[in-house]
Amino acid sequence: MAAPRVTNKTSGGNAAFHNFNNDFAHVADPNERRRLALAEIDKAPFGWYHVRACVVAGIGFFTDSYDIFAINLVTAMLGVVFFNDSKSKGTIPTNSDTAIKVATSGGTVLGQLGFGYLADVVGRKRMYGLELIIIIFATLAQALSSSSRAISITGIIIFWRVLMGIGIGGDYPLSSIITSEFATTKWRGAMMNAVFAMQGIGQFVAAIIALIVTAGFKESLLLGTKASTCKGDCQLAVDKMWRVIVNSGFGAVPGCIALYYRLTIPETPRYTFDVARDVEKAGEDVSAYMKGKAEGNPDEIRRVTAMAQDSPALEIPKASFRDFWGHYGQWKFGKVLLGTAGSWFFLDVAYYGLGLNNSIILSAIGWSGGSTMYEIFYRNAVGNLILVCAGAIPGYWVSVATIDTLGRKPIQIGGFTMLTILFIVIGYAYNHLSGHALLALYVLAQFFFNFGPNSTTFIVPGECFPTRYRSTSHGFSAASGKVGAIIAQCVFGPLRTRGAKAGATGKAASPWLNHVMQIFALFMLCGLFISFLIPETKRKTLEELAGEVPGTPNYDPTLHVGRGYRAGSEEAESDGKERSGETAV
């Protein structure tokens, strides 16, 4: 007869910080203990520990966005400083401009795939913080970069931005799934969206810093009437300006503050339960998270004993190549991965195609240029502020306010629908629209990007996949999006200048921009159709979305079949070993 389970309770706990471990210490079935412990996270009232999780993850996204979109303001300055010769005349060559912008996206793809996979293999806690260290180091290195006879400024900036991109890429799956796995079910969407909405604040601060340094070096900038005549003190001022923007402190200091909290965050209980299969540690970590501590500290003897006894009894299968294909080989789960990756790909083609070329859009609508370098940089910074404040930031926060009431799927489908209409109007009426009308349509597009698929494509992959593959699947979906961003920069960037005459300005500098907008409309339409493959995740637990809850439409019956098969195989193997021993005797 099996010995009864020893109930081990821990000390501590009060009205403010409940001791969840003692609530479930008497429960013998590890699956029931898992269910009860995760239910405490799902049903927990919104508190400061939720705010802390959002802030720690959000600061990372603030830094990511600042670093990504600041380059839109910096490349023109690089032209003045490093390409002010008789050939380029203070304008960065198109190939160099494109390569610098694409470099970050290329590194991001590597980071999303690599960090996404590793977070499922070694754990969220072990990887969280490493990506921020990479971002901070690469940001500082960029600001100290300069050309030499052995290497061009383009080459060295590309190197550091690829490295920085790897760190930024790692932040996507890690921040999403950690926020998701710690969030209460009722407000999970708002928490994840608030983290992602820090992208808008990052864009805003990048434009503010550009405006501040422009005003700070006003006297020197007034000496140059255009890029080719910005020499001496004017050129020195611009050289200082781009380094301050890249490493203003807003690109690195907030990351240093968040780094401490990322390195001390507890492992998510869902990972500890389902992947590490450490029931005792997971229960302690739930209590530690609610108390704001780094991690739980269970009795080690009890922990090791429980792992030996309880791990084989857990219903959730271990991650494996065979299990991965078995799970996603089912259409009802495979179509979700196709939907999240496909919709993110179609979105980012247009989103980054426009976002990294705000200066070109501003030029096309007449909000650029000037009689001095001061006026040129000032109008560029103010123009970017207008676009971010009028469209992007309101879109992000309207999405935060409505994501848990309207739902993810309606917002994504509605956003793609509006973007399709807007790009059709811009593309086919481009040559008949005034500058003000074009600006209004562009601001609306920015609003529906963020109150639409730009927010939901980040949120849904962090919710709808099983814990053992959640980070890998989110990383794959996000990487698909960045592949779209690379295509936008490499293909549609040069395409917009097709047929442009040398020295052309305004709309004449981008004669194919209307056709690019028409192509973007087609991508938005494709995004609309593929969005029907994703599930509605509003107010559903992560376990229900992963198909682990019997009696729900998404339930995966192979979980129990697979468990029985594995248990039978283990028993047969054990019997075989015993018979072999008897024969030998």
Side-chain angles (χ1 to χ4, degrees):
M1 182 177 178
R5 180 185 181 90
V6 178
T7 300
N8 292 288
K9 294 190 174 184
T10 58
S11 61
N14 53 44
F17 300 109
H18 192 70
N19 191 328
F20 293 105
N21 179 74
N22 289 353
D23 287 347
F24 315 128
H26 65 284
V27 180
D29 182 3
N31 294 293
E32 183 65 8
R33 294 185 69 193
R34 171 183 178 271
R35 186 189 69 79
L36 292 171
L38 296 183
E40 290 298 329
I41 296 177
D42 291 336
K43 296 184 298 182
F46 191 82
W48 281 111
Y49 41 86
H50 293 118
V51 174
R52 184 176 62 250
C54 290
V55 171
V56 171
I59 288 177
F61 262 90
F62 167 86
T63 304
D64 297 346
S65 178
Y66 182 96
D67 290 333
I68 289 173
F69 291 96
I71 200 65
N72 188 46
L73 301 161
V74 163
T75 50
M77 299 177 185
L78 293 177
V80 172
V81 177
F82 298 102
F83 297 92
N84 208 337
D85 50 32
S86 58
K87 180 180 179 182
S88 298
K89 298 181 179 179
T91 302
I92 187 170
T94 302
N95 291 341
S96 297
D97 180 61
T98 300
I100 288 174
K101 291 175 179 177
V102 168
T104 310
S105 295
T108 302
V109 171
L110 298 177
Q112 287 163 337
L113 293 174
F115 276 82
Y117 172 75
L118 289 172
D120 278 339
V121 174
V122 302
R124 286 71 158 125
K125 176 180 173 63
R126 291 184 180 181
M127 299 305 298
Y128 208 39
L130 178 58
E131 83 294 343
L132 203 52
I133 293 173
I134 295 173
I135 294 171
I136 294 168
F137 177 73
T139 300
L140 294 172
Q142 283 179 75
L144 301 176
S145 299
S146 188
S147 60
S148 71
R149 297 179 66 182
I151 188 171
S152 68
I153 187 63
T154 302
I156 197 165
I157 289 290
I158 286 173
F159 173 82
W160 289 119
R161 288 194 72 81
V162 168
L163 185 62
M164 184 186 74
I166 292 173
I168 291 174
D171 207 19
Y172 273 76
L174 284 168
S175 289
S176 175
I177 62 173
I178 286 175
T179 305
S180 172
E181 291 177 0
F182 274 126
T184 173
T185 300
K186 185 177 181 180
W187 302 116
R188 186 176 62 233
M191 288 179 63
M192 297 176 72
N193 209 343
V195 169
F196 194 66
M198 292 304 292
Q199 276 201 343
I201 306 301
Q203 295 176 49
F204 172 78
V205 172
I208 284 288
I209 296 299
L211 185 61
I212 291 173
V213 296
T214 299
F217 290 100
K218 179 178 180 180
E219 297 301 322
S220 298
L221 294 176
L222 289 172
L223 299 174
T225 56
K226 54 185 178 179
S228 59
T229 62
C230 186
K231 304 288 182 67
D233 288 344
C234 177
Q235 190 176 37
L236 178 61
V238 176
D239 193 19
K240 293 177 181 178
M241 286 168 60
W242 80 264
R243 297 178 192 276
V244 171
I245 293 172
V246 168
N247 189 35
S248 64
F250 289 97
V253 171
C256 293
I257 297 171
L259 183 59
Y260 167 77
Y261 292 98
R262 290 193 175 196
L263 293 175
T264 57
I265 196 171
E267 182 58 87
T268 69
R270 284 181 164 91
Y271 180 87
T272 310
F273 271 123
D274 295 354
V275 183
R277 309 178 81 78
D278 191 341
V279 177
E280 292 290 333
K281 184 67 164 64
E284 288 285 339
D285 283 346
V286 171
S287 179
Y289 171 64
M290 299 296 187
K291 296 178 182 178
K293 294 182 179 179
E295 60 181 333
N297 296 293
D299 180 86
E300 286 301 316
I301 296 177
R302 187 174 78 249
R303 178 186 179 187
V304 173
T305 303
M307 286 186 70
Q309 293 177 347
D310 296 341
S311 180
L314 287 171
E315 293 176 351
I316 304 304
K318 291 183 179 180
S320 66
F321 187 77
R322 179 182 179 182
D323 178 66
F324 180 89
W325 285 109
H327 179 76
Y328 287 112
Q330 301 176 69
W331 172 243
K332 66 178 178 180
F333 298 120
K335 71 176 183 179
V336 176
L337 184 58
L338 176 62
T340 57
S343 56
W344 210 332
F345 169 80
F346 291 125
L347 162 74
D348 273 9
V349 170
Y351 182 73
Y352 279 88
L354 291 182
L356 291 177
N357 292 292
N358 279 350
S359 301
I360 293 163
I361 300 296
L362 291 172
S363 176
I365 62 179
W367 191 266
S368 64
S371 57
T372 65
M373 290 307 298
Y374 169 76
E375 189 173 345
I376 291 170
F377 288 135
Y378 177 84
R379 288 171 67 86
N380 191 20
V382 172
N384 276 274
L385 276 175
I386 292 172
L387 296 178
V388 172
C389 292
I393 292 179
Y396 278 118
W397 291 100
V398 169
S399 182
V400 172
T402 60
I403 194 79
D404 283 313
T405 52
L406 295 179
R408 287 67 153 158
K409 195 169 183 177
I411 289 177
Q412 179 160 318
I413 291 174
F416 271 127
T417 301
M418 290 302 302
L419 289 167
T420 302
I421 295 170
L422 288 169
F423 281 122
I424 288 174
V425 173
I426 296 173
Y428 286 96
Y430 182 77
N431 294 317
H432 305 286
L433 294 170
S434 66
H436 292 295
L438 192 58
L439 176 61
L441 290 170
Y442 184 76
V443 166
L444 280 174
Q446 288 292 326
F447 178 84
F448 283 106
F449 269 131
N450 298 303
F451 178 49
N454 191 41
S455 294
T456 55
T457 51
F458 173 80
I459 295 169
V460 174
E463 300 177 302
C464 61
F465 301 114
T467 300
R468 60 194 185 278
Y469 304 125
R470 185 171 291 128
S471 183
T472 301
S473 302
H474 192 288
F476 176 77
S477 300
S480 299
K482 288 302 171 287
V483 169
I486 292 171
I487 291 174
Q489 289 296 298
C490 293
V491 177
F492 299 121
L495 189 62
R496 66 175 171 76
T497 60
R498 183 179 179 183
K501 296 180 180 178
T505 59
K507 287 186 177 182
S510 304
W512 257 64
L513 189 58
N514 61 324
H515 299 303
V516 170
M517 296 295 175
Q518 293 165 11
I519 296 170
F520 286 168
L522 176 61
F523 276 90
M524 295 301 96
L525 184 62
C526 292
L528 169 62
F529 287 134
I530 205 167
S531 294
F532 287 99
L533 296 178
I534 68 171
E536 177 51 67
T537 59
K538 178 184 70 173
R539 303 284 165 85
K540 295 180 180 179
T541 68
L542 300 182
E543 286 65 45
E544 179 182 348
L545 292 167
E548 298 169 10
V549 181
T552 59
N554 210 38
Y555 178 58
D556 181 7
T558 62
L559 288 177
H560 285 82
V561 173
R563 181 191 173 194
Y565 171 80
R566 287 190 301 274
S569 298
E570 289 170 1
E571 289 175 4
E573 184 180 348
S574 176
D575 290 343
K577 289 180 179 178
E578 289 177 2
R579 292 193 187 98
S580 297
E582 291 171 1
T583 303
V585 173

